Amino acid sequence: MALFFRAREDPARADASRRVAALVRETLALSEDDAVTVSEIACGDPACGGAETVVLIMRAGRKTEAVKLMMPMATVTDADVTALFEAN
């Protein structure tokens, strides 16, 4: 008999992901047809503090755009998101 275990999602991490996605949607004035995903991955660069935030923006009819913030999701601010898209 095989047992399957499902990893529990960290509520704080899920909240941070939704918050950053909402900031991206607002900053870029995305429509309901556009999708945003936000993930946090381990970062090998000591400057990013061990984690980086990866944002995927999927706009209808366009190629997916990936951007990174060299910080954990929980620390991303409105100003970080604004600066990220002003630079790109």
Side-chain angles (χ1 to χ4, degrees):
M1 181 173 142
L3 296 176
F4 297 95
F5 295 95
R6 188 176 203 173
R8 290 189 180 191
E9 185 174 329
D10 177 1
R13 187 179 207 143
D15 288 346
S17 177
R18 284 189 290 272
R19 182 182 58 78
V20 173
L23 290 172
V24 170
R25 285 189 152 287
E26 182 180 328
T27 301
L28 297 178
L30 297 177
S31 75
E32 289 185 21
D33 293 333
D34 302 321
V36 176
T37 64
V38 181
S39 343
E40 184 177 283
I41 60 172
C43 176
D45 183 351
C48 70
E52 66 185 9
T53 300
V54 178
V55 178
L56 297 178
I57 302 143
M58 296 156 277
R59 299 179 208 215
R62 293 172 61 176
K63 290 177 74 173
T64 298
E65 179 183 357
V67 294
K68 293 181 184 180
L69 291 151
M70 303 303 276
M71 62 187 69
M73 277 190 293
T75 63
V76 175
T77 66
D78 294 8
D80 295 324
V81 173
T82 300
L84 176 67
F85 292 107
E86 284 178 351
N88 288 326

